[in-house]
Amino acid sequence: MKTKRYNVAVVGATGAVGTEMLRVLQQHRFPIKRLRLLASSRSKGRRIPFNGSTYAVEELQNRSFEGIDVALFSAGAVRSLEFGPEAVRRGAVVVDNSSAFRMAEDVPLVVPEVNPHALKSHQGLIANPNCSTIIMLVPLAPLHRAAGLKRIIVSTYQSVSGAGKEAMDELWNQTRGVFVTDPPSPKKFPKQIAFNVIPHVDVFMEDGSTREEWKMMVETKKILDPKIKLTATCVRVPVFVGHSEAVNIEFEKPLSAEEAREILREAPGCLVVDKPESGGYVTPVECVGDFATFISRIREDATVENGLSMWIVSDNLRKGAALNTVQIAEALINRGLLQKAA
């Protein structure tokens, strides 16, 4: 039987996540008939290798989506709002990595290991959740099905790559500056990020939370269960790639640490590395380039009834962004929800 192949556009192809999307598409052998790489006018003409060929980056325009079956967006909310609906009008299914459409009632917000059934209601637009939400829900969803999540307390330790290439450059330049007595100058971040941590990701809201913390709360409710209570503290740390999360969970029903380990060992997308000894856990450096979400330090919390604590780590450019986007496109194909193909 001949494999169906699809015309694919990657929007924001020269950015950190767009570059990672291309790697994932190639590694997953996504069935591509024709590939179009789109970015701003600054990147027009830049040549990017992919799967043995070289592609010229095109300037993002409305007509860019003619004949495209699926468009993977990672160019920021402004560009998504401008060009996403236009891509849908021209026949493409859009999987968007920005915050533009996440809370729209008619747009599915999807983590394929958690709620792939939500894809059947799509009307051309599908939203990729926030990176921190994705990384947390991959392991928490199977535990929710087993014992019912009641309340989540999460503290994130988010790498600078989540804020883009300029943020990564700032960490590099500031770190180098410290050693050559060149005083670090904050630009992308509100304070020095080298050798520091900043409890401030995204903008502040009226209640004192940041928008990143709010996203984790509302997205968890939309994806998993509106009854779940969640409070988050999101922190930027001087790590280039890889988000970490310390998660405390209160369940409706009893769930032991060993039962949780057994569930997570069988859960899609999860890899348990949990030995109560020096080095028996995963850190961000070890997760870079990996597809899995790693879970360590699973233990019972005696301060609440039916409580567990755990440590979660994943590559935010992969599962937190590019990988999840490609997996959504694959789920559309596997479920027969991406019809137009040659």
Side-chain angles (χ1 to χ4, degrees), residues 10 21-30 50 72 326:
V10 176
M21 280 183 186
L22 292 173
R23 289 196 189 101
V24 175
L25 286 168
Q26 185 168 318
Q27 290 170 351
H28 279 215
R29 298 182 180 179
F30 193 89
F50 178 84
L72 310 180
V326 174

Side-chain angles (χ1 to χ4, degrees), residues 213-241:
E213 294 156 355
W214 174 83
K215 288 176 192 174
M216 294 192 74
M217 184 266 292
V218 295
E219 291 176 12
T220 296
K221 289 177 178 290
K222 181 174 180 178
I223 295 167
L224 203 54
D225 191 331
K227 297 191 298 294
I228 295 172
K229 296 179 180 180
L230 183 146
T231 182
T233 300
C234 295
V235 183
R236 193 73 71 185
V237 297
V239 170
F240 282 105
V241 178

Side-chain angles (χ1 to χ4, degrees), residues 147-153 248-253 304-308:
L149 287 168
K150 183 178 179 181
R151 183 172 184 244
I152 303 167
I153 304 171
N248 179 267
I249 316 140
E250 185 179 356
F251 293 96
E252 297 283 354
K253 296 183 288 188
V304 294
E305 189 175 3
N306 307 330
L308 289 180

